[in-house]
Amino acid sequence: MNKLIVYFSYTNNTRMIANQIKAKLNCDILEIKTVVPYSGDYETVVNDEQNSEASNYLPEIQKIDVDLSKYEEVILGTPVWWYRPVPAIRTFLTQNDLSGKIIKPYATNAGWLGRTFQEIEKLCPNSKVDKGMNIVFESYSDKLVTKEQEIENWINGL
């Protein structure tokens, strides 16, 4: 089964997991990037996102140079912002039809998963969305709270 890892990463935690998956499965990988990059200042990003969350603002993302029809399975990585998938991932899911595909989501966060996986299911109504993997890091850190073995077991099951 052809697999594609699709992810967005702000602090590199989601990227680290995506690269770990790629190393194990040797599958293709696609990083979602916004046209206008987020500020490098974390507090600015928090304030901007908090203010735009109620409006469901979706940022423009860079053109995707991947033929999604070649893949049966999408391993979808997203940070959790305001208890939801990051806006760039919501943009990707809104703009791309993943009908008939198996979606295997994972979310990186500091313990506040919220409705992330439920929202991914809503944005992919014609896909089979597997139970998501919640990967927790310490706040403002790249130090894992979730046990490495749990992540390895999940990746091995992909």
Side-chain angles (χ1 to χ4, degrees), residues 79-85 107-120 134 136:
V80 176
W81 290 3
W82 300 104
Y83 311 104
R84 305 174 72 185
T108 57
N109 60 89
W112 309 290
L113 183 61
R115 60 189 185 274
T116 300
F117 296 137
Q118 292 87 345
E119 190 160 346
I120 290 169
N134 183 23
V136 179

Side-chain angles (χ1 to χ4, degrees), residues 135-153:
I135 301 173
V136 179
F137 289 82
E138 285 184 2
S139 290
Y140 310 106
S141 168
D142 60 357
K143 185 170 191 279
L144 273 168
V145 172
T146 302
K147 290 180 175 36
E148 282 277 355
Q149 191 58 54
E150 284 180 59
I151 299 168
E152 276 295 313
N153 291 346

